[in-house]
Amino acid sequence: MGDAGGRLAPGLRLRTSRPEIPAGYVRLHRIDAALTACSPGRVAVVAAGPGYGKTLAVAAWTRHHPLDGPLVWLTVDDTSGVASFWNDILGSLEAAGALASHSALRDIVPGVGFAEQEMDLVIDGLAESPVPITLVLDDVQRITRPEVLESIHHLIRRRPGQLRLILITRKASDLRLQKLRLDGRLVEITAGDLTFTRDDVVEFCTRIRAEISDDDVDTLLERTQGWPTGLRLAVLSARDDLHAGVVQFNGQNELVAAYLLEEVLEDLAPTDRRFLLSTSVVELMTAELARVLSGRADSRAVLDDLVANNVLTVRLSDRPDWYAYHPLFRELLVDRLAAENPDAPAELHCRAAEWCVAEDDPISAIRHYAHAREWMKASEILSTIALPLVLSSQAPALAAALAPLAAEAGRRPTVDTLLAAAIVAYQAGDFEVMARNADDASRLLGDSPESPTVGTRVVIALTRMVTARHGHLDDIVPSCDAILDLVTEVPRSAVPAAPAYALMARNNRAIGMFQRGEIDVAAADLEYSRTAAESVGMSLMAMAAGTYLTLVDLVRGELPQVRSRVEEIGAAARRRGWTRQPQAIALYAAAALMHLEHHDLEEAERAVTAGRRAVAGGSDTGAWLIVEAAAVGIAIARGDAYAARTECRRLDLARSRSRSLPMLLSSWHEVVAAETRIVVGEAAVVIDELAGRARSDTYAGSLARVVLAKAYLAVGRPADALETLGTAAEFAPYRLQVVEAQVLSAVASAQLHRESVALEHIAAAVRLAEPVGQKRPFVVAGPLVAGLLLRHQRLADKESAFLRDLVEACGGEPVPAVDDGVPIEPLTDRELVVLRYLPTMYKASEIAADLYVSVNTVKTHQQSIYRKLGVSTRRDAVDRARERNLI
């Protein structure tokens, strides 16, 4: 996922606008007073049935009451889930100018796995606002998803001190307000407060210049029971004889409202009536959209007249070019249009869809085509323009627009409806259903005599790419190549989204190349993808590329670079609320392995836990496998055979997700499983499986050679271990494996009583490990390592905090440094080797024979040692070396 497309989508921009107050509106000062009493840190709930003027009452208060900070207005939408709801809140904050330039809220982009932890980021950001924020959520009754309602409850429970929250709804029963009441933090405005009094009725009639007697006021008030919409409709429907209209009016329910609306509609000129009917297919409109729907060039004048004459039409005050009908009025118009001309709604929805495409609003276009049951046209918009939005914060809204097509696929499967169903399944994280729908669509294409469009072929290819990432990892590269072949042959004008598809394919292909073990190729392509994705605002894709670059650094042994990337990407993920995005799994895998190499097992475990949380919502099976491999490594580093076996079962579960594994992932799985068998006493089985196969100089081959050497050491065959390991140069350029090979060579040499060779290997291992802080190979290689490290420490020519920590991690007692203040010239490696022989009874000839050098060479080294230590005899050299912890 990524944030392409931006937070402020066209539909959201309109839902952040208040209605303009219509002519003749009666301000209810009691409502103003109640809302004013809702200070920051408190909650106001305005709850009443339809037609009570809830929204206008709050909008009027915001117009006339000076607020102490920005006003944020959001008309909620129940077509999507928690992530989309909170993205809308953040978008409305941005639209209202409520986000300071340094606000952490600017970075948050809700995505998969958005839950309380991420909500708290938003709530904390609201609490830290330098000025109070008034947030109005209108039409809350439209929310039916329990998880979205629960997120509102969470916001209410946290009650950030800088937030004044106003909820407008038809019912308050779902909001669980009892604790707020008890705390005295709730302002409640009900239908009783919004009901018109006698004075309100008189003021209303006065404002619209309607002459009415006192008796008629009493009759109207009695029969409407003060219901504002009933009063307004009664006056509108009375035409020129208000008294007669009042006498005929009886009741305040919605059936009466429908009757009165009919009266209003019948009273209009036929041309205005046709205008209203044709424009009712959209909830909000501009004059231009109204012209497209009605064919009238004077659409703006018509809309302005409707607003001026108070004919249940309002202008959006924050978007003055946009207009809306009263909901009850629009419902009547929609019903009347369908009854009078059943074919008209579909044609009008198609016109609206075409207009939306031209206005760069493909989601609304798909929604209108779905209303018209034009499945093929909706699918065309999806494949040529809208599909990249599935990798954006608008993904839930796209899935909601496609829902009618997905439902149709269950009744009448076609290529178009099945592909829509596949995208809906992808957004829901149901990759098996996605693959099944895409396969069914592909089979239908094969049976059709017509050639499929490039857009259709691309959508099918993209679903196959996702399927490969989820369960057919060995197919990632070919599936991406298929997409690249398709999009390179199509002109941009035919498929405007082609560049985005190409970038998606290239990024996933690079990940596939990494999983194959083609590290250098993967690194170059990942760097390109990261840079390109950032340049077009696809930040989640950029993060995905960055996390796999972190794994590249790990394979290359660049642990400081791994740490740097983990900290940088991790901080960005926390800021944006992306810690549970599937694109973060590879980051946690790299972090876990890095901490494991540093022998920081608690941090490694935390990274594994975070990775497992992200797996629940994602499709990156390859990264999940690496996370589980790290978990096994942690158990092995602790020497816990039972835990290693348990974690290996979880690794096998991740392995079973994919029918086949590319080479690098296959090697990781095989090696970790082999290490588990070694720690549980089955090293001989490992030898039988790997002997003769672990000679490759690739990264995978290096892993296999190291684990085979461990198996030989476990069964007491050090010579075979040394033969398997060969020379350190054979493991280049993989630093971590070079270090481990040197450590294992040291252990094997020590078992063969080649002490000087063992010390050379351990010294080389320390020298390579220190710059990157690698400790794991030393800790897990057995008890001999601590002694070798202690001896190396005595011979070292400088004090090393890393070496002291390493000795301690391996269970040894570090030798304290001694400094008599007299500097000495550092000894060379060969001089250090000769120095170790001086405390023994070996003669120069015997030392020479043991080291395979001449006697003269040994004597030359001895004289150099004496000079550097400032002594003249062998005994004094030994004493001075011990004082300096050199032996």
Side-chain angles (χ1 to χ4, degrees):
M1 304 249 330
D3 56 356
R7 182 177 281 147
L8 284 173
L12 176 57
R13 289 190 184 94
L14 298 175
R15 289 191 287 113
T16 62
S17 299
R18 298 168 289 175
E20 191 173 85
I21 306 305
Y25 179 76
V26 177
R27 281 183 62 197
L28 304 181
H29 295 284
R30 58 188 176 276
I31 304 299
D32 291 351
L35 290 171
T36 301
C38 181
S39 56
R42 304 182 73 189
V43 177
V45 176
V46 185
Y52 274 90
K54 304 179 293 294
T55 299
L56 285 177
V58 177
W61 173 75
T62 64
R63 285 290 177 205
H64 297 98
H65 178 74
L67 297 174
D68 41 8
L71 168 70
V72 181
W73 190 285
L74 175 63
T75 301
V76 301
D77 186 355
D78 190 40
T79 58
S80 46
V82 172
S84 184
F85 172 72
W86 283 83
N87 186 73
D88 287 352
I89 288 180
L90 289 163
S92 62
L93 288 165
E94 184 178 324
L99 302 183
S101 59
H102 60 277
S103 174
L105 296 176
R106 289 185 175 275
D107 290 327
I108 301 173
V109 181
V112 175
F114 190 90
E116 280 194 9
Q117 176 182 334
E118 290 73 29
M119 291 174 212
D120 286 341
L121 291 175
V122 180
I123 294 170
D124 291 343
L126 292 170
E128 293 169 4
S129 172
V131 294
I133 295 173
T134 300
L135 173 60
V136 179
L137 299 181
D138 193 10
D139 278 351
V140 173
Q141 78 282 345
R142 298 178 69 180
I143 299 175
T144 58
R145 296 179 181 235
E147 65 273 19
V148 179
L149 282 171
E150 182 55 41
S151 75
I152 295 177
H153 299 154
H154 184 66
L155 173 62
I156 292 173
R157 285 194 297 270
R158 287 286 312 274
R159 290 196 305 273
Q162 288 289 69
L163 179 69
R164 175 192 289 113
L165 180 61
I166 301 175
L167 305 174
I168 306 174
T169 181
R170 290 185 180 180
K171 58 178 183 176
S173 56
D174 293 335
L175 296 177
R176 301 207 301 262
L177 303 170
Q178 186 60 29
K179 190 172 188 310
L180 276 177
R181 291 192 186 98
L182 294 174
D183 292 344
R185 290 185 164 277
L186 177 65
V187 174
E188 291 185 89
I189 297 171
T190 65
D193 301 305
L194 292 161
T195 298
F196 270 26
T197 65
R198 193 178 195 284
D199 290 341
D200 297 330
V201 175
V202 172
E203 183 180 349
F204 171 66
C205 291
T206 301
R207 283 179 175 274
I208 64 172
R209 298 192 177 115
E211 295 183 5
I212 187 169
S213 68
D214 289 345
D215 289 343
D216 285 343
V217 169
D218 292 337
T219 301
L220 190 58
L221 189 60
E222 177 186 353
R223 294 187 176 182
T224 62
Q225 296 296 301
W227 182 40
T229 294
L231 286 160
R232 192 175 176 194
L233 290 172
V235 173
L236 283 172
S237 65
R239 297 184 175 90
D240 297 328
D241 191 347
L242 184 57
H243 174 74
V246 170
V247 171
Q248 293 174 5
F249 179 76
N250 182 22
Q252 59 138 355
N253 57 47
E254 291 187 38
L255 290 176
V256 173
Y259 165 76
L260 293 173
L261 286 166
E262 288 276 14
E263 292 290 305
V264 172
L265 190 59
E266 291 299 328
D267 196 39
L268 294 172
T271 53
D272 289 345
R273 188 177 186 277
R274 285 195 296 272
F275 177 89
L276 288 168
L277 291 175
S278 61
T279 54
S280 66
V281 296
V282 294
E283 290 188 24
L284 298 165
M285 78 197 87
T286 64
E288 177 60 24
L289 177 54
R291 184 194 64 76
V292 169
L293 295 171
S294 68
R296 290 187 59 166
D298 62 343
S299 291
R300 181 179 296 279
V302 175
L303 289 167
D304 286 340
D305 285 344
L306 290 170
V307 171
N309 293 326
N310 208 17
V311 186
L312 301 173
T313 305
V314 296
R315 180 186 286 109
L316 301 187
S317 60
D318 302 311
R319 299 283 188 276
D321 288 337
W322 286 83
Y323 302 80
Y325 298 137
H326 187 288
L328 291 175
F329 191 34
R330 179 172 175 265
E331 288 172 13
L332 168 72
L333 294 172
V334 169
D335 289 342
R336 179 54 53 206
L337 175 67
E340 294 181 5
N341 189 351
D343 295 330
E347 179 188 348
L348 291 167
H349 277 297
C350 287
R351 291 186 198 172
E354 292 167 4
W355 185 86
C356 290
V357 171
E359 293 296 311
D360 195 25
D361 186 4
I363 291 178
S364 294
I366 290 172
R367 189 178 292 115
H368 283 296
Y369 277 134
H371 278 302
R373 301 182 66 81
E374 290 283 356
W375 313 125
M376 185 178 298
K377 291 181 178 179
S379 179
E380 182 182 354
I381 298 299
L382 171 67
S383 63
T384 58
I385 302 173
L387 187 56
L389 294 177
V390 81
L391 302 178
S392 80
S393 57
Q394 298 180 55
L398 175 62
L402 292 170
L405 282 79
E408 182 69 11
R411 296 185 292 268
R412 191 175 65 86
T414 66
V415 172
D416 303 309
T417 58
L418 285 167
L419 290 181
I423 301 306
V424 171
Y426 168 81
Q427 206 279 323
D430 195 337
F431 304 108
E432 292 182 3
V433 170
M434 179 204 71
R436 187 161 60 248
N437 284 324
D439 287 344
D440 289 345
S442 183
R443 278 191 288 273
L444 286 176
L445 278 176
D447 296 337
S448 172
E450 298 181 3
S451 299
T453 65
V454 173
T456 298
R457 291 158 61 197
V458 168
V459 174
I460 291 175
L462 285 166
T463 60
R464 287 175 175 162
M465 180 185 74
V466 174
T467 301
R469 287 286 303 274
H470 177 66
H472 303 285
L473 300 180
D474 220 17
D475 294 338
I476 293 176
V477 173
S479 67
C480 293
D481 286 339
I483 296 169
L484 291 170
D485 289 343
L486 282 172
V487 297
T488 53
E489 68 185 36
V490 62
R492 176 82 175 267
S493 58
V495 182
Y501 296 151
L503 184 56
M504 292 158 59
R506 186 159 181 177
N507 187 60
N508 281 276
R509 187 181 191 280
I511 290 171
M513 296 301 284
F514 170 82
Q515 293 176 355
R516 283 183 171 185
E518 298 186 40
I519 306 301
D520 293 338
V521 173
D525 285 349
L526 286 167
E527 189 58 52
Y528 169 85
S529 297
R530 185 185 65 80
T531 304
E534 284 180 348
S535 69
V536 297
M538 302 179 75
S539 301
L540 263 173
M541 187 183 295
M543 185 176 85
T547 59
Y548 268 89
L549 281 170
T550 308
L551 283 170
V552 167
D553 291 333
L554 184 110
V555 167
R556 290 172 169 172
E558 302 296 338
L559 295 183
Q561 177 69 4
V562 174
R563 179 179 292 279
S564 176
R565 287 193 197 268
V566 165
E567 291 174 352
E568 178 185 353
I569 300 174
R574 288 188 293 274
R575 284 197 315 271
R576 296 186 167 198
W578 288 350
T579 56
R580 280 182 275 194
Q581 287 285 136
Q583 289 82 359
I585 303 173
L587 178 70
Y588 299 127
L593 292 173
M594 174 194 72
H595 290 306
L596 178 59
E597 293 299 327
H598 288 153
H599 197 60
D600 190 346
L601 302 185
E602 291 184 1
E603 285 296 326
E605 279 188 330
R606 277 192 277 272
V608 167
T609 300
R612 286 170 173 168
R613 281 201 305 266
V615 164
S619 59
D620 195 345
T621 298
W624 176 28
L625 187 143
I626 301 172
V627 167
E628 297 301 342
V632 179
I634 294 167
I636 291 172
R638 286 204 165 105
D640 189 336
Y642 176 80
R645 191 188 292 272
T646 300
E647 298 294 359
C648 199
R649 292 194 190 101
R650 297 188 69 154
L651 172 64
D652 290 339
L653 175 64
R655 165 64 184 86
S656 68
R657 170 78 70 82
S658 179
R659 66 181 184 186
S660 60
L661 289 180
M663 184 188 68
L664 179 57
L665 293 182
S666 177
S667 298
W668 243 322
H669 174 263
E670 184 178 56
V671 164
V672 172
E675 285 200 280
T676 303
R677 287 196 290 271
I678 291 171
V679 299
V680 299
E682 299 174 4
V685 176
V686 174
I687 293 171
D688 289 342
E689 291 179 351
L690 294 183
R693 295 199 294 123
R695 295 306 305 175
S696 169
D697 58 358
T698 63
Y699 177 72
S702 298
L703 293 173
R705 291 167 68 181
V706 165
V707 76
L708 179 58
K710 290 179 180 179
Y712 280 131
L713 289 173
V715 297
R717 295 167 59 180
D720 289 329
L722 285 171
E723 182 182 353
T724 297
L725 292 168
T727 66
E730 295 178 60
F731 290 84
Y734 310 113
R735 178 194 288 262
L736 304 185
Q737 282 63 52
V738 175
V739 171
E740 190 149 26
Q742 292 282 24
V743 172
L744 294 174
S745 294
V747 171
S749 298
Q751 288 181 0
L752 292 170
H753 304 293
R754 299 174 184 170
E755 298 296 333
S756 61
V757 177
L759 287 169
E760 287 179 2
H761 283 301
I762 210 68
V766 170
R767 189 165 56 251
L768 280 169
E770 184 169 7
V772 298
Q774 186 186 15
K775 296 177 182 176
R776 181 196 57 81
F778 301 89
V779 177
V780 301
L784 284 177
V785 174
L788 291 170
L789 286 171
L790 282 168
R791 293 178 64 185
H792 170 69
Q793 188 184 31
R794 294 190 184 97
L795 295 171
D797 61 352
K798 63 178 180 179
E799 180 64 10
S800 168
F802 172 76
L803 187 52
R804 288 200 309 273
D805 292 344
L806 196 54
V807 170
E808 187 175 354
C810 292
E813 290 292 333
V815 177
V818 175
D819 186 0
D820 58 9
V822 179
I824 64 170
E825 185 180 346
L827 276 63
T828 66
D829 289 344
R830 297 304 292 178
E831 288 168 353
L832 286 170
V833 172
V834 172
L835 177 62
R836 290 194 289 267
Y837 284 93
L838 298 187
T840 69
M841 300 298 292
Y842 278 34
K843 299 177 182 179
S845 58
E846 293 171 322
I847 296 173
D850 201 39
L851 295 178
Y852 302 99
V853 297
S854 68
V855 174
N856 287 337
T857 298
V858 171
K859 290 182 177 179
T860 299
H861 286 318
Q862 279 184 279
Q863 293 302 315
S864 181
I865 291 169
Y866 296 167
R867 177 181 59 78
K868 290 180 179 181
L869 295 179
V871 297
S872 56
T873 67
R874 183 169 177 170
R875 182 181 184 85
D876 289 342
V878 171
D879 292 341
R880 176 59 63 87
R882 284 173 173 162
E883 290 173 2
R884 294 284 181 158
N885 293 322
L886 296 178
I887 56 176

